[in-house]
């Protein structure tokens, strides 16, 4: 296949982060290559729930209505069941003055979401190169950065004035820059789809056990996403992924019974080990977006929003600098600062929630408080829904009500 090889921006990876960045840059008139090793539609192990604020970015790309028409579910909040069995529910339209872009989040299969986002980038003029893997990132020169890509047996070199690394959790771009850091907790997720799970409502569910947790999310058309996350050190591999998933699910008898009432309609897929971050998300003529820049724990389910919003931040920072041709490491550093401003509070909340999940007695304690005072749960769910400022749940008066 013949195509041009010199672009303003080469985006590595067409997940939510890369496709959104490519679409927004192409919309601003930049020439963009969007390089993706898979071919769409492709699956991606994920609990497949999007926060209410994610809909704003999808609307910006004219996708939200289409996705709802195509069957995406609307989730009105989250229900959590603690290890000791205390349930509580937080609603997006909660007992507080904050309102999200919508009072619901969407949930839908990643096959559909990611294919739509990549198509949106292509429709806006990005050159989408599927089945094409980035193998190497060249050093920066006055012409830009080169990336060596392989498509089947064919290798070629693309040049971008800037390269955006949006290649996910194990980002090759981040590793080649030497900025990738591994988290201490090593976890693994097994994800699949069931039809006809008993008792599903219009909320996502998280069931927490002493060593693992299970998420259930209706993703439309009667299908439920079932995701089990466990510490790698605590699970013993038993034969196939199917057996392993069943073994982990049996630790949650009530969930297991509800899931068994339905029928599995997809393979079990594995993801992880995860928990990683980067020392910085910029280098000379390079930006990192989405999981390539930061990924912690899927419990609070905000990775897709971070990918979409991170792409917006990257494009806002990059577009004027492309025009002024100021693309050195120091020129791009304000993107790191913008990420800290945007996500810093959420990173703290994610770590606190993750700590609670790893300490069952504490989670049982706060679950009882949340059950007694649903307004507190609404606030936390609003933070995970990306429309309540994290400071609301980090302030001493809020924490005091939970711990006492
Ligand atoms: C078990 C689990 C459950 C989750 N549940 C949720 C949830 O419910 N809600 C939520 O918001 N988030 C969830 N997340 C997080 C979410 O999946 C990610 O944050 C999100 O996918 C990040 O998008 P991304 O575009 O950065 O990366 P990805 O979606 O991983 O996309 C990266 C893309 O880059 C491509 N790629 C990789 N390497 C190369 C290469 N060398 N060359 C070319 N292409 C390459 C890949 O094929 C892929 O298409 C979950 C994650 C896990 C593991």
């Amino acid at each position: 296949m013949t195509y041009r090889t010199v672009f303003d921006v080469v985006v590595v990876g067409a997940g939510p982060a890369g496709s959104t960045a490519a679409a927004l840059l192409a919309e601003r008139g930049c020439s963009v290559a969007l390089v993706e090793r898979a071919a769409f539609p492709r699956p991606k192990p994920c609990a497949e729930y999007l926060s209410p604020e994610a809909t704003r970015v999808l609307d910006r790309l004219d996708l939200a209505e289409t996705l709802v028409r195509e069957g995406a579910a609307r989730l009105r909040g989250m229900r959590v069941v603690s290890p000791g069995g205390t349930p509580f529910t937080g609603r997006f339209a909660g007992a507080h003055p904050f309102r999200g872009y919508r009072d619901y989040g969407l949930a839908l299969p990643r096959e559909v979401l990611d294919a739509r986002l990549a198509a949106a980038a292509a429709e806006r003029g990005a050159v989408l190169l599927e089945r094409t893997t980035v193998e190497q990132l060249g050093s920066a020169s006055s012409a830009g950065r080169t990336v060596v890509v392989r498509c089947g047996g064919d290798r070629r070199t693309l040049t971008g004035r800037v390269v955006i690394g949006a290649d996910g959790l194990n980002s090759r771009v981040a590793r080649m820059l030497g900025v990738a850091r591994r988290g201490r907790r090593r976890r693994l997720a097994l994800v699949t789809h069931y039809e006809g799970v008993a008792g599903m409502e219009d909320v996502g569910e998280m069931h927490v056990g002493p060593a693992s947790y299970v998420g259930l999310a209706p993703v439309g058309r009667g299908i439920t996403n079932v995701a089990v996350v466990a510490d790698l050190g605590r699970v013993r591999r038993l034969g196939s992924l199917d057996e392993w998933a069943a073994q982990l699910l049996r630790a949650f008898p009530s969930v297991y019974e509800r899931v068994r009432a339905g029928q599995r309609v997809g393979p079990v897929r594995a993801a992880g080990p995860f928990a990683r971050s980067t020392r910085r998300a910029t280098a000379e003529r390079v930006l990192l977006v989405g999981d390539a820049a930061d990924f912690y724990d899927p419990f609070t389910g905000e990775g897709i929003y971070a990918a979409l919003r991170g792409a917006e931040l990257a494009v806002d920072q990059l577009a004027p600098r492309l025009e002024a041709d100021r693309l050195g490491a120091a020129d791009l550093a304000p993107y790191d600062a913008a990420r800290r401003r945007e996500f810093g509070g959420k990173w703290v909340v994610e770590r606190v929630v993750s700590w609670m999940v790893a300490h069952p007695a504490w989670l049982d304690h706060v679950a009882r408080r949340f059950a007694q005072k649903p307004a507190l749960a609404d606030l936390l769910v609003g933070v995970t829904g990306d429309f309540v400022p994290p400071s609301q749940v980090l302030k001493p008066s809020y924490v005091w009500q939970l711990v006492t």
Side-chain angles (χ1 to χ4, degrees):
M1 187 176 144
T2 1
Y3 51 81
R4 60 186 290 185
T5 57
V6 180
F7 297 86
D8 288 324
V9 185
V10 174
V11 181
V12 184
S19 291
T20 304
L24 297 177
L25 284 164
E27 218 168 57
R28 292 192 186 213
C30 298
S31 61
V32 183
L34 178 57
V35 187
E36 170 55 50
R37 70 177 170 203
F40 291 104
R42 59 110 179 82
K44 152 90 190 162
C46 177
E48 302 180 320
Y49 140 76
L50 282 77
S51 76
E53 283 305 286
T55 311
R56 183 187 54 72
V57 188
L58 294 177
D59 252 353
R60 191 172 168 186
L61 299 173
D62 298 323
L63 286 179
E65 288 312 315
T66 311
L67 294 172
V68 169
R69 256 200 320 277
E70 288 178 353
R74 293 175 183 169
L75 301 192
R76 307 270 166 190
M78 291 300 295
R79 181 165 184 263
V80 177
V81 182
S82 77
T86 305
F88 67 88
T89 302
R91 298 220 160 244
F92 296 127
H96 52 64
F98 302 97
R99 283 294 168 269
Y101 180 75
R102 296 278 185 272
D103 282 344
Y104 54 83
L106 297 180
L108 72 157
R110 289 289 297 268
E111 276 97 336
V112 178
L113 174 70
D114 291 22
R116 281 283 177 199
L117 282 166
E123 279 157 21
R124 284 162 176 75
V127 177
L128 173 62
L129 304 172
E130 295 173 83
R131 296 191 182 86
T132 304
T133 302
V134 169
E135 293 190 328
Q136 276 175 37
L137 173 73
S139 45
S141 74
S142 58
R145 287 256 187 188
T146 54
V147 294
V148 177
V149 302
R150 182 176 48 75
C151 178
D154 183 27
R155 266 202 181 76
R156 67 179 63 199
T157 300
L158 306 181
T159 305
R161 290 171 61 211
V162 172
V163 171
I164 293 185
D167 47 343
L169 198 53
N170 293 311
S171 167
R172 185 176 287 232
V173 176
R175 281 183 282 131
M176 285 188 290
L177 288 173
V179 297
R181 279 199 299 216
R182 216 176 244 175
R184 271 188 299 131
R185 290 196 75 182
R186 310 271 292 151
R187 288 188 241 192
L188 186 110
L190 300 174
V191 185
T192 190
H193 287 136
Y194 272 79
E195 192 168 32
V197 172
M200 292 308 296
E201 294 172 11
D202 62 352
V203 292
E205 297 180 28
M206 283 297 199
H207 300 258
V208 186
S212 55
Y213 61 83
V214 182
L216 301 178
V219 292
R221 302 186 188 283
I223 307 292
T224 298
N225 177 300
V226 180
V228 196
V229 176
D231 274 354
L232 258 182
R234 296 194 183 175
V235 286
R236 202 160 42 90
R237 173 107 196 220
L238 294 175
S240 67
L241 284 182
D242 293 16
E243 289 169 53
W244 202 7
Q247 178 215 5
L248 288 168
L249 267 180
R250 274 195 288 269
F252 299 86
S254 61
V255 178
Y256 188 60
E257 286 312 309
R258 288 169 58 201
V259 168
R260 274 188 357 144
Q263 175 121 17
R264 185 148 68 80
V265 290
V268 175
R269 297 183 197 280
F274 40 80
R276 56 172 303 283
S277 62
T278 50
R279 278 186 283 118
R280 57 179 194 281
T282 54
E284 187 170 359
R285 293 183 183 273
V286 184
L287 297 180
L288 300 174
V289 190
D291 284 2
D294 174 70
F295 182 83
Y296 192 60
D297 187 327
F299 189 84
T300 47
E302 297 140 273
I304 300 171
Y305 174 74
L308 301 176
R309 179 69 190 126
E312 285 188 323
L313 292 178
V315 171
D316 286 348
Q317 295 289 331
L318 191 53
R321 290 171 177 83
L322 273 168
E323 212 155 286
D325 204 24
R326 297 184 66 90
L327 301 165
D331 300 310
L332 297 178
Y335 168 62
D336 281 311
R339 286 179 57 81
R340 276 194 298 276
R341 273 195 306 277
E342 181 77 25
F343 301 126
K346 287 286 292 293
W347 290 334
V348 176
V349 174
E350 271 180 26
R351 276 158 179 73
V352 173
V353 170
S354 182
W355 186 90
M356 288 283 175
V357 170
H359 293 82
W362 268 104
L363 186 56
D364 282 328
H365 176 79
V366 299
R368 284 192 290 274
R369 291 287 173 275
F370 281 132
Q372 288 158 354
K373 300 178 181 175
L376 295 179
D378 292 343
L379 260 188
L380 181 61
V381 164
V383 172
T384 68
D386 300 303
F387 60 90
V388 173
S391 55
Q392 291 294 315
V393 299
L394 294 172
K395 60 185 183 191
S397 56
Y398 181 91
V399 175
W400 183 251
Q401 292 186 73
L402 283 185
V403 298
T404 55

